[in-house]
Amino acid sequence: YQKSAVPLPQLMEYHSKLQKLISEKQIHLDSSLSLDRVSELLRIPNHHTSQLFNIVLNESFNAYISTLRVQHSCELLKDEQQMSIDDVAFKSGFGSKASFNRVFKNLKGCTPSQYRKG
């Protein structure tokens, strides 16, 4: 990124726009969300979006979105006790129960069911 690095102030502006999309539009809950789609929504080139994740957020797109999705699922698991684990997974933006369980356990150290039980 050294040669074609986007200036940091520009990246910070992109970060603000991304945070706004997440908080207002909850784009992370779309299971088909991709780096390309984020670039479209931010109206910036793909390589700028990659630099935003790698330089400003210091993690990959997938790791960042997975963390947001797990945070959302934790809220649902606590607040919506009657909601099935499958529904929590899909409402949190995961494409399958298997990926939800794997990512959740990697990030939280327990399964969604164990988390819900407290």
Side-chain angles (χ1 to χ4, degrees), residues 28 59-74 92 94 103-104 107-108:
H28 57 293
E59 62 184 332
S60 72
F61 166 76
N62 287 331
Y64 181 77
I65 296 301
S66 291
T67 300
L68 291 173
R69 288 175 175 168
V70 168
Q71 288 170 352
H72 183 78
S73 68
C74 287
S92 298
F94 288 93
V103 171
F104 192 98
L107 291 175
K108 291 293 178 186

Side-chain angles (χ1 to χ4, degrees), residues 36-97:
D36 288 347
R37 181 69 183 130
V38 171
S39 296
E40 283 175 30
L41 292 167
L42 292 173
R43 293 183 171 93
I44 62 174
N46 285 3
H47 68 280
H48 287 205
T49 309
S50 292
Q51 289 181 45
L52 167 63
F53 283 99
N54 292 321
I55 296 169
V56 177
L57 298 167
N58 201 30
E59 62 184 332
S60 72
F61 166 76
N62 287 331
Y64 181 77
I65 296 301
S66 291
T67 300
L68 291 173
R69 288 175 175 168
V70 168
Q71 288 170 352
H72 183 78
S73 68
C74 287
E75 292 171 23
L76 292 177
L77 289 166
K78 289 292 185 196
D79 298 342
E80 305 289 339
Q81 292 288 323
Q82 77 287 357
M83 189 181 290
S84 73
I85 300 291
D86 285 0
D87 284 346
V88 169
F90 295 114
K91 287 187 185 300
S92 298
F94 288 93
S96 73
K97 187 178 177 187

